[in-house]
Structures are given as C-alpha cells and as structure tokens.
C-alpha cells in the first residue's frame, strides 16, 4: 500500500482517473503524445499493489514486440514483474504450446519458416504468376482474409464489399487461398494467423480449457485498440468469456492499418458494449510543442465523418517552439539536398542525428534521401532493415560480453568494462572513416551507450547484470539507438518520436496514394499525415517537389492535405516563381479543385478524379471510352497485370470526359502521375487525337 502514492505522482488528472479506475471495463481514448504507456503501466501496477489482481493474472497485449518489451521494462521498474506483456501472436503461441497437446493429443505444429514458398506453390497450381511481387500480393490477400475471418469460399464477395484492389480475379485468389491452406495442413505447419485462429477455436470449443485459462488470467489490457482486426477481437472475446475486467487504450485518429483488416469500431463502440465502463480522454500532449500540436489538430480537424466520441483535440503542454515549416521545390533532388543541409545545421545546433527523421509515404522514396545524406556525409539508418540484435557484430559482441562476465571481477565501472571487452573484437576510441567498418563501430558503441544508460539507472549493475539486460532486449527486439538520421515510411514511424521530423514528398498521387480512390481510403491517408506530424517533438518540416528528376517538367501538385495548412505569410504560400533555396521557396498557391461544369469546390475523391460534381451532367465520349478500355485490356495482357494497374475505370472515364490535348492536361487528371505518364501517356494521347480526327 505504501507504494501507491508513488505510482500516482506526476500524473495529470485524467491519467490519474484512468489509473485508479476500479476493476472492470475501462476505455482510455489517448491522443498522440499524451502518455498512454505511462498511464496503462501505472494502472496495472496500481491494481497489483492494491492486491486486486496478482501480476501473473494480468495479460497485456499490444501489436509489436518492441512495444511489449517496453511495457515489460516499465512494469518491472514499477514493481509489477510477472505481468505477461506480449503481442497477440506471442501470447497465443504460448497458450497453444500448453493446450494443443491436451486437445489434439500431439505436439503443436511448428510455425512455417517458408510461407512464401507455400503461396508460390499454390499460385502455380492455379496458373497464376509466381514472380516475387505477385506472390507477395497474394500472400497479403490471404493474410487479410484470415485476419477478417473470411474463408476461401467467401473471399470474392468479401473483397468486393471491402473494395479490395485484388491482384488477380477473385475466383482465382479463392483457389490460391484454398490450395495454400491444403498445402500448409499437409505439411502440418502453422502460419501467424493460425496461432490466433486455433487459440480462439480451442477456447470456444473446449469449456474445460477455457475455464482453466480464465482461472489463470483474470485481467486484460489491450494497447493500440484501434488497430485490432476481427480475428484479434475474436481471440480477445475468447479470453474474456463473460467477464469484463478489460482496459483498452487507443486513438481512432491513428487508425492506419485498415488495409490489413484493422478497424476502430471496437474502440468506438466500447462504451456501448460496456455501458458501465469508465471512459477517460487523454488530450494533454507532452511530446510536441504547441506549434506542432496546433498543426496536428488542423490536419485531423479537416477529416470527414469522424466518430463523435473519438474527436480528441490535443492541448500542447510543452514550451513554445518554432513554427512548422513548409517548402516547395523544383524537383526531388533539390528537396533532398535542402533537407540534408537543414539536418546538418540542426546537428551543429545540438540536435542529435538519432533524434531526426525523414518520413515518406512509400519506401521507394527513400533512395534520393539516402543519396543526399551520403553526399553530405551524414550517417543514417533505414528503419525496417536488419534488426539490431540480428547483426553479425552484435551477436559476436554478446558472446564476447557473456564470456567476459563469467571471468571478470566487477570494477565498479560498467561502461569501462564493456569498452574493454568489446576492444577485443575491434572497438576503437575513434570511429573508422566510413562504410561497413563505420556501421560495425556504431553498433558496438551503441552497446557501450546502453551500458552507460544501465549504470545511470542501476549504479550497482555489473557485466553479468548488463548481459541479462541485453538478453531481455534481444528477446523483445528493443534495440538501443544508433547515432544516425532515421529514414522510414509513415507506417513504420507509428509509435516512434523524434526532436526533428521532415515529412517529404507531399504530392497528389503519393499522399494520398494514387490507389486511394474512395473517401474512406483518402481519410486513412489523412490519418497517416496526422501520425507523421505527431511524431515531431519540436522541429517539423513539410515539403514537396514539382518534378521527380532534376530539371524535369514540373507537373506535380502539392497534396490536398496541405491546403489551408500553409500560413498566409509563409513563402510557400506566395504566388511567385519557385526558387531552390531551402525552406524559402515560394510557390504558386495551389487552387482547390473545382467542378468544370458548375465551378463548385470539389471534395469527394471521385468528384476530384472526374473534375466535376457527381450530379453535374457527364459529357463522356462513349466511343473514346470503349477504345481506351480495349487499349487497357491489351496493355494489361502484355504486362501480365490486372487491368486496374494500368488505369482504373474512373480514370478512363475522366480521360474520356476531359479529352486532354497534351501531357500537361493529362497529368492534371487525378490518378495520372509521372510513372503512368511515362508508360502510357503517348498511347492515350494518340487515341484521343485519333478520335478527334475521326
């Protein structure tokens, strides 16, 4: 009981309300940067220390091993060691290993180590392409189906209802799905989705197993609840049974995984499912300056059809900082070079390179920034590459440190002991010039910095204690920071934060992505931008370029999400010629798209694509449209891709209505960017010109 006041110290009123809420259903609507992990870990520790639940009776689940590892670390520090904090899949696999032998009288099947090969074999049986990209797309559809509780026979109808951009005819994907399941079962292996499916089935179909499980676990916590999919919710329901000791935490504004089956409906509907639930809203943002917070509120405030109960408005708690900056450039190399120079300046001002990130919509955008940073001799790391503890030098270092711990007497200076041990495998006082040797050195020095961090937190820690900490981190895939700028996609940046963030490539066709052709898809793209903005603590830059290649034709348009964000007095809002000076580049104000029939401002995705209101009369050239469709079919056949990959029906309709006369007019149609202009522009224009002559 004496520990409880300490657990409540430093909490704001809303966090405290969530922490001390009684056992039972609790819903924490937690905006970005509002301290949700602190809140839920303190809540768990508070319940444990009040004797309301034993640590071993708590199961906390989240979506990444990194987040689960961080949660376990915090709970240990709060005196709640023993709480199970795992991902959905890790928790399910643990339960399967225990219950499967009793239910099936055999050991649990192993996880497949080559799902890609099984999908490829299934695709071959159906007669679909087996190239790497095609197989990856098919695997994605299978994963979405299983996460959505959809079997092979239901795939076609479900995919049509969900508006999936299927990589092949639905009936063929259904056959691939069925063949994949048959191959997998014949090999007696499981995939990751099977871990959840079998866990739910065992608990649902075997009351004695469910009773034993529910005796073991009495209290549940789910982090990032806006990201659960139907399969995960089914598992959670099976865990709970008819109980209600459940705490969920989430933010509908950060729902960015609907393509994988995630949906915020369970978060939004929690108070309806549990009318007696305690609902707490965390809106005090401790991460970002008021200037960054203000821009984030502007971004998400423009969203359409936001559920009323989830409309969180962040309130910045930090001191003022610089205004978010905006810039338009002639081309991507100019944009990348300008950002590299800005990073160098921030580094000279004391911002660590590891506290800066360049975020983009798609991974393919990283190359130009990698080159710019390399040219400027600025180290960087691409998030999503090889994991820290999987690197050869780190594995070697851990073997060396373990051996040193077994033979050395503690010196009382842990960082010095680590340095001495790692010197045996090449750690030097000064970094090598560059290349692989520099990367190896940076990995080793990161281990030294981790030792310094541990020594500061636990002064009596020795090498043996340090090796244990490394093992814990390796298990939870929670690597220390390596000094270097982070390059990452907006999806990969979720859950992370930096002092300085550069959001780049903010142009139509990239953000929102070209294939976001429904209002719901566009709103998810807006939430992606919101996630990007809320990653920044202090410095935030948003930029875009009018051409892809250096000196290329400037046909791009800034993202529609940038409208109304650029302050009127900012250079990027001024209607003058673009200059290639970093973050001083004035740009032509991008006009809001308007209907070419009635001149009304357009809002809907389809209206913008067609260039007219949906209820304004269409002047489509039916003959040209038929020619375009025939041409598309032939090109798709030649390229061995689905027809929509060439152009969607909506884009062809827009072309047949607007009948552009040149490339400039053609790229003015939403959905036609540089790549499609290069591949198909001359063909389309030739068809239009031939139609006019006829």
């Amino acid at each position: 009981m004496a520990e409880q006041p300490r657990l409540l110290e430093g909490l704001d009123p809303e966090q405290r309300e969530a922490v001390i809420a009684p056992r039972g259903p609790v819903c924490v609507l937690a905006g970005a940067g509002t301290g949700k992990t602190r809140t839920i870990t303190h809540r768990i520790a508070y319940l444990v220390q009040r004797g309301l639940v034993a640590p071993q009776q708590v199961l906390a689940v989240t979506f990444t091993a990194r987040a689960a590892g961080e949660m376990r670390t915090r709970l240990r520090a709060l005196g709640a060691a023993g709480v199970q904090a795992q991902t959905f899949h890790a928790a399910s696999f643990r339960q399967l290993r225990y219950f499967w032998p009793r239910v099936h009288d055999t050991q649990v099947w192993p996880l497949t180590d080559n799902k890609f090969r099984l999908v490829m074999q299934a695709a071959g049986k159906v007669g679909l392409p087996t190239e790497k990209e095609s197989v990856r797309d098919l695997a994605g559809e299978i994963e979405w189906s299983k996460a959505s509780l959809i079997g092979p026979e239901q795939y076609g109808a479900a995919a049509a209802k969900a508006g999936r951009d299927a990589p092949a005819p639905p009936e063929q994907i259904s056959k691939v799905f069925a063949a994949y399941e048959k191959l997998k079962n014949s090999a007696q292996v499981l995939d990751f989705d099977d871990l959840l499916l079998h866990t739910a089935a065992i608990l649902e179909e075997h009351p004695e197993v469910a009773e034993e499980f529910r005796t073991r676990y009495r209290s549940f916590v789910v982090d990032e609840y806006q990201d659960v999919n139907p399969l995960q919710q089914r598992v959670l329901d099976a865990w709970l049974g008819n109980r209600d000791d459940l705490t969920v935490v989430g933010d509908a504004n950060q729902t960015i995984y609907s393509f994988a089956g995630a949906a915020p409906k369970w978060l939004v509907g929690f108070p309806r499912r549990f009318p007696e639930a305690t609902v707490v809203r965390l809106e005090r943002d401790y991460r970002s300056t008021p200037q960054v917070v203000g821009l984030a509120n502007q971004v998400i405030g423009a969203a359409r059809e936001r559920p009323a109960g989830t409309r969180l408005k962040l309130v910045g708690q930090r001191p003022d900082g610089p205004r978010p900056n905006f810039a338009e450039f002639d081309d991507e190399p100019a944009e990348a070079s300008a950002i590299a120079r800005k990073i160098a300046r921030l580094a000279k001002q004391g911002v660590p390179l590891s506290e800066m990130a360049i975020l983009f919509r798609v991974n393919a955008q990283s190359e130009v920034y990698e080159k710019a940073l390399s040219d400027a001799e600025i180290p960087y790391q691409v998030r999503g590459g090889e994991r820290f503890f999987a690197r050869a030098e780190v594995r070697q270092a851990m073997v060396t440190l373990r051996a040193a711990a077994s033979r050395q007497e503690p010196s009382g200076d842990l960082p010095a002991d680590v340095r001495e041990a790692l010197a045996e495998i090449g750690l030097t006082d000064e970094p090598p010039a560059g290349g692989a040797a520099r990367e190896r050195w940076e990995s080793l020095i990161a281990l030294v910095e981790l030792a310094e961090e541990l020594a500061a937190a636990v002064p009596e820690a020795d090498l043996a204690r340090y090796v244990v900490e490394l093992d814990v981190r390796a298990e939870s895939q929670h690597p220390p920071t390596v000094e270097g700028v982070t390059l990452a996609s907006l999806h990969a940046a979720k859950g992370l934060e930096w002092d300085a963030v550069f959001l780049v490539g903010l142009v139509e066709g990239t953000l929102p992505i070209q294939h976001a052709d429904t209002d719901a898809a566009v709103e998810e793209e807006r939430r992606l931008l919101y996630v990007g903005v809320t990653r920044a603590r202090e410095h935030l830059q948003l930029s875009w370029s009018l051409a892809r290649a250096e000196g290329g034709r400037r046909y791009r348009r800034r993202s529609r999400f940038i409208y109304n964000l650029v302050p009127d007095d900012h250079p990027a809002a001024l209607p003058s010629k673009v200059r290639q000076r970093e973050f001083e580049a004035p740009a032509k104000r991008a006009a809001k798209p308007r209907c070419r029939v009635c001149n009304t401002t357009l809002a809907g995705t389809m209206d913008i694509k067609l260039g007219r209101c949906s209820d304004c009369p269409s002047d489509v050239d039916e003959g040209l449209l038929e020619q375009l469709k025939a041409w598309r079919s032939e090109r798709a056949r030649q390229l061995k891709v689905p027809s929509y990959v060439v152009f969607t029906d909506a884009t062809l309709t827009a072309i047949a209505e607007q009948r552009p006369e040149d490339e400039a007019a053609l790229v003015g149609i939403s959905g036609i960017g540089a790549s499609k202009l290069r591949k198909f522009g001359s063909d389309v224009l030739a068809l239009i010109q031939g139609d006019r002559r006829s």
Side-chain angles (χ1 to χ4, degrees):
M1 296 294 289
E3 289 291 325
Q4 291 173 28
R6 183 177 68 87
L7 286 172
L8 302 180
E9 289 177 358
L11 299 177
D12 65 35
E14 294 78 22
Q15 292 172 339
R16 181 187 176 97
E17 181 185 358
V19 168
I20 67 175
R23 280 186 60 179
V26 176
C27 178
V28 182
L29 300 174
T34 57
K36 69 178 180 66
T37 304
R38 173 183 173 85
T39 301
I40 59 175
T41 52
H42 279 243
R43 171 167 173 75
I44 293 170
Y46 186 81
L47 293 174
V48 168
Q49 291 183 9
R50 285 194 63 200
L52 297 176
V53 66
Q56 295 77 14
Q57 293 176 319
V58 181
L59 177 57
V61 288
T62 188
F63 285 82
T64 67
R66 181 182 183 278
E70 180 183 356
M71 193 178 295
R72 289 195 296 270
T73 300
R74 292 198 189 197
L75 288 167
R76 287 199 304 269
L78 294 172
V83 171
Q84 291 295 313
Q86 300 177 317
T87 64
F88 270 100
H89 293 91
S92 295
F93 201 17
R94 178 174 179 163
Q95 293 156 29
L96 280 183
R97 285 196 293 265
Y98 182 76
F99 290 118
W100 181 292
R102 292 167 49 184
V103 171
H104 298 292
D105 198 27
T106 181
Q107 291 300 308
V108 64
W109 292 355
L111 273 173
T112 178
D113 58 0
N114 205 333
K115 177 178 181 176
F116 187 91
R117 178 175 56 81
L118 291 175
V119 177
M120 182 174 65
Q121 290 176 355
K125 287 179 177 292
V126 176
L128 286 178
T130 56
E131 289 83 2
K132 183 176 181 180
E133 291 76 13
S134 299
V135 173
R136 186 185 298 117
D137 287 344
L138 291 169
E141 289 304 291
I142 292 172
E143 289 168 1
W144 170 78
S145 299
K146 298 180 77 169
S148 302
L149 299 177
I150 295 164
E153 63 280 0
Q154 293 97 31
Y155 171 81
K161 183 177 180 180
R164 301 287 293 182
D165 280 336
E171 62 275 10
Q172 290 188 299
I173 295 179
S174 294
K175 293 178 181 178
V176 172
F177 187 179
Y180 165 77
E181 289 295 314
K182 185 175 181 180
L183 288 167
K184 180 167 55 65
N185 291 336
S186 296
Q188 295 191 342
V189 293
L190 305 174
D191 62 24
F192 273 100
D193 296 311
D194 291 333
L195 301 182
L196 277 64
L197 284 165
H198 284 285
T199 296
I202 285 176
L203 293 173
E204 291 164 352
E205 297 169 9
H206 299 273
E208 73 285 359
V209 170
E211 182 179 0
E212 181 177 344
F213 173 84
R214 292 165 190 162
T215 301
R216 170 75 167 81
Y217 292 106
R218 296 181 177 273
S219 184
F220 299 87
V221 177
V222 184
D223 191 15
E224 304 285 5
Y225 194 49
Q226 78 279 353
D227 287 333
V228 296
N229 59 42
L231 175 54
Q232 290 161 339
Q233 183 62 42
R234 178 182 170 188
V235 171
L236 180 59
D237 289 340
W239 286 343
L240 278 170
N242 59 2
R243 299 169 298 168
D244 64 357
D245 194 349
L246 171 65
T247 299
V248 299
V249 187
D251 179 9
N253 291 335
Q254 298 188 67
T255 304
I256 58 173
Y257 295 108
S258 65
F259 64 87
K265 63 182 180 181
W266 291 285
L267 174 67
V268 174
F270 193 88
R272 290 193 296 274
R273 180 179 180 185
F274 300 103
E276 72 283 12
T278 299
V279 179
V280 182
R281 300 163 68 90
L282 303 184
E283 297 177 300
R284 303 178 198 238
D285 188 321
Y286 299 97
R287 174 188 299 160
S288 306
T289 64
Q291 287 72 22
V292 172
V293 168
L295 185 69
N297 285 333
Q298 280 186 270
V299 170
I300 203 63
R304 305 171 66 188
E305 299 182 4
R306 295 168 69 197
T310 65
R311 293 176 187 168
L312 299 173
K313 186 173 182 179
L314 300 177
V315 181
Q317 304 296 301
R318 291 187 55 186
D320 284 343
R323 289 198 307 177
N325 219 335
F326 300 84
E328 182 174 277
F329 295 94
D330 278 352
D331 50 58
E332 282 191 15
E335 185 180 2
S337 296
I339 288 172
R341 293 195 298 273
K342 180 67 172 179
I343 287 172
R345 288 204 295 274
L346 287 174
K348 287 182 179 179
Q349 295 168 15
V351 181
L353 292 176
S354 58
E355 288 296 343
M356 291 189 264
I358 300 172
L359 306 182
F360 33 76
R361 175 61 179 86
V362 294
N363 289 321
Q365 291 175 271
S366 75
E367 187 273 333
V368 66
Y369 296 96
E370 293 182 47
K371 182 178 186 304
L373 294 173
S374 296
D375 291 346
E377 298 184 349
I378 297 173
Y380 64 88
Q381 54 181 333
V382 180
R383 181 166 179 80
E386 189 177 35
R387 294 171 177 167
F388 182 85
F389 287 102
R391 297 177 185 174
E393 67 270 20
V394 175
R395 294 199 304 269
Q396 182 187 15
M398 291 179 70
V399 171
T400 301
L401 289 164
R402 198 169 284 112
S406 66
R407 67 173 184 263
Q408 284 186 6
E409 292 293 325
S411 69
D413 188 345
L414 175 60
D417 290 343
V418 172
R419 275 188 174 274
E420 180 181 346
L422 297 183
E424 299 176 14
I425 58 172
L427 178 63
T428 57
D429 290 337
E430 296 298 325
R438 176 63 179 259
E439 292 178 5
R440 173 185 172 83
W441 184 89
E442 288 173 345
S443 295
L444 297 180
I445 206 66
L447 292 172
V448 174
E449 291 168 353
L450 181 55
E452 293 170 348
E453 177 183 323
L454 179 61
V458 186
E460 68 276 13
D462 57 10
L463 267 179
R465 171 69 176 79
Y466 174 69
V467 168
V468 170
E469 179 68 17
L470 289 183
D471 288 337
V472 170
R473 290 200 177 216
E475 181 184 1
S476 62
Q477 301 167 354
H478 186 48
T481 300
V482 174
E483 186 64 18
V485 176
T486 298
L487 299 179
S489 70
L490 289 166
H491 282 101
K494 179 73 164 30
L496 304 176
E497 58 188 77
W498 296 270
D499 286 344
V501 168
F502 298 85
L503 300 176
V504 301
L506 303 179
V507 295
E508 284 291 306
T510 300
L511 190 75
I513 198 73
Q514 184 172 333
H515 57 254
D517 53 7
T518 66
D519 288 344
V522 169
E523 289 308 313
E524 181 142 335
E525 296 289 298
R526 190 193 309 275
R527 293 194 294 271
L528 262 181
L529 178 60
Y530 175 78
V531 166
V533 169
T534 55
R535 300 310 94 194
R537 297 192 190 103
E538 183 174 358
H539 304 279
L540 176 63
Q541 319 282 4
L542 299 91
S543 61
W544 58 95
S545 53
L546 301 179
R548 169 67 181 90
E550 185 173 358
R553 192 173 57 79
R554 298 180 297 176
Y555 60 86
R556 290 173 162 179
R557 297 175 296 174
R558 70 178 71 177
S559 168
R560 71 192 71 173
F561 303 144
I562 302 298
Y563 298 147
N564 300 324
L565 295 184
V566 184
D568 290 340
D569 61 346
H570 193 282
L574 300 178
S576 56
K577 183 174 169 36
V578 174
R579 297 172 307 181
Q580 290 188 1
R581 283 184 58 194
E582 178 195 5
F583 301 118
E584 296 177 359
K588 295 180 180 178
R589 185 189 297 272
K592 294 181 180 179
R594 306 185 77 85
C595 176
R596 54 191 166 82
V597 180
C598 69
N599 203 37
T600 301
T601 299
L602 298 174
T605 302
M606 190 59 67
D607 292 0
I608 291 173
K609 185 179 286 290
L610 293 176
R612 62 172 174 82
C613 301
S614 57
D615 54 356
C616 281
S618 168
D619 56 350
V620 65
D621 184 327
E622 296 290 353
L624 176 58
L625 182 59
E626 289 305 313
Q627 292 182 58
L628 288 168
K629 287 182 176 180
W631 164 82
R632 180 183 64 175
S633 297
E634 177 60 22
R635 291 293 281 137
R637 186 190 65 77
Q638 293 171 357
L639 296 172
K640 298 180 180 179
V641 297
S643 293
Y644 71 84
V645 172
V646 179
F647 282 126
T648 64
D649 286 347
T651 300
L652 291 187
T653 300
I655 293 171
E657 285 191 0
Q658 299 176 39
R659 297 183 287 281
E661 296 183 357
D662 52 29
E663 289 187 349
L666 187 59
V667 297
I669 295 175
S670 177
I672 303 180
S675 176
K676 297 207 172 184
L677 180 67
R678 184 174 61 254
K679 291 179 181 178
F680 311 125
S682 58
D683 287 357
V684 171
L685 290 173
L687 283 172
I688 295 170
Q689 291 162 5
D691 184 70
R692 284 199 182 93
R693 285 194 295 270
S694 62

